[in-house]
Amino acid sequence: IKLMNAGEKLVAKNVEGFLLRRLQRLLGSTHLWPRTIWLALVGETENDLKGVLGGDPSLSEAGLEYTDALGELVAKREEQCDTAQGESGVGKLFIYTGTSKRYIQSAEILYKERKGKTAPCRSWSRASLPPSHVQECQVLTLGAVNDVNAGLLDSLSQEEREKKFPKEVAARKADKLNYRYPGTSGESYQDLISRCGELVCMLEQSRGNSLVICDR
């Protein structure tokens, strides 16, 4: 695989196998167009207050306040980009987030923060977001951005996990990277890395600023 002038030309020969094909796509997404990528942690949830891990909870009051502040911060950073006083970036703001309630709530709040602007916001979302008008904003919800699925251990507190699944807790502590949660939907961090590959390519392809709202 030969990449010339950071994406101007890509030459590939005898590319075989999963890894090389993924690498070819990543290199094909590379360009030098100025943009900024922001990574934002989703706000506190109701389950966080209860000490429950996982689940599909709504944002807590503190989480809602945090997301309001996040919207203001992103707006200020965008002004810096527009005036060339800070981070460089051009084009539409593209928001990537997950499909759980807390991610959708975060996207809704960011919509409201941008109300009163004239350009419409186009959304490719599997969730039902309210109609809004924001300045050059697009939203994409992806399952790839969701947190690791804990399978049978989902929606339990740490104490409950240790009591009901002591062997699973010990196995995870021994190897967090490769450990896969039990159950048909259980995932490992290796699974998470694999499904985030598509998101990485999207971020590389973007010609404008990007905001990713996700968990740790």
Side-chain angles (χ1 to χ4, degrees):
I1 301 174
K2 181 186 290 186
L3 181 67
M4 287 165 274
N5 296 333
E8 182 178 308
K9 186 177 181 181
L10 178 68
V11 179
K13 185 178 181 181
N14 296 328
V15 176
E16 298 179 358
F18 174 79
L19 182 59
L20 285 179
R21 291 187 184 279
R22 291 292 292 271
L23 180 60
Q24 179 185 6
R25 180 167 182 208
L26 177 60
L27 291 175
S29 303
T30 302
H31 64 83
L32 295 181
W33 193 272
R35 84 280 192 170
T36 302
I37 299 173
W38 295 299
L39 301 179
L41 182 66
V42 72
E44 180 187 68
T45 69
E46 296 293 343
N47 277 0
D48 292 330
L49 294 176
K50 301 174 185 177
V52 174
L53 305 175
D56 190 16
S58 300
L59 292 173
S60 66
E61 287 298 321
L64 294 172
E65 292 179 7
Y66 162 85
T67 310
D68 278 328
L70 173 63
E72 295 175 3
L73 177 61
V74 171
K76 290 179 181 178
R77 291 297 180 90
E78 284 186 284
E79 289 178 5
Q80 292 178 347
C81 295
D82 292 338
T83 57
Q85 294 178 353
E87 299 161 284
S88 60
V90 295
K92 297 182 171 110
L93 173 66
F94 214 126
I95 301 174
Y96 300 87
T97 192
T99 58
S100 300
K101 288 179 184 177
R102 56 190 181 274
Y103 304 122
I104 300 304
Q105 277 187 290
S106 300
E108 289 174 348
I109 292 172
L110 291 175
Y111 267 56
K112 293 176 183 178
E113 289 288 339
R114 305 168 73 85
K115 274 186 177 180
K117 307 299 174 88
T118 56
C121 174
R122 295 190 296 164
S123 174
W124 288 265
S125 174
R126 297 173 190 163
S128 177
L129 288 174
S132 180
H133 287 79
V134 298
Q135 185 179 20
E136 296 185 335
C137 170
Q138 297 179 349
V139 176
L140 178 62
T141 58
L142 291 168
V145 186
N146 289 341
D147 197 9
V148 172
N149 192 311
L152 297 177
L153 278 67
D154 192 54
S155 300
L156 298 176
S157 67
Q158 185 62 35
E159 291 75 16
E160 289 174 324
R161 291 185 178 192
E162 292 175 353
K163 182 178 180 180
K164 296 180 179 180
F165 301 95
K167 292 183 179 179
E168 297 295 335
V169 171
R172 184 172 185 272
K173 286 182 179 179
D175 187 1
K176 286 188 177 182
L177 177 62
N178 296 297
Y179 169 80
R180 179 176 285 112
Y181 283 103
T184 55
S185 59
E187 292 183 304
S188 69
Y189 282 118
Q190 290 282 18
D191 297 323
L192 177 63
I193 293 170
S194 178
R195 62 177 162 87
C196 281
E198 184 73 15
L199 175 61
V200 172
C201 286
M202 288 181 178
L203 292 172
E204 281 294 330
Q205 292 167 358
S206 175
R207 293 295 178 109
N209 296 326
S210 299
L211 170 64
V212 182
I213 305 174
C214 57
D215 279 283
R216 291 186 181 88

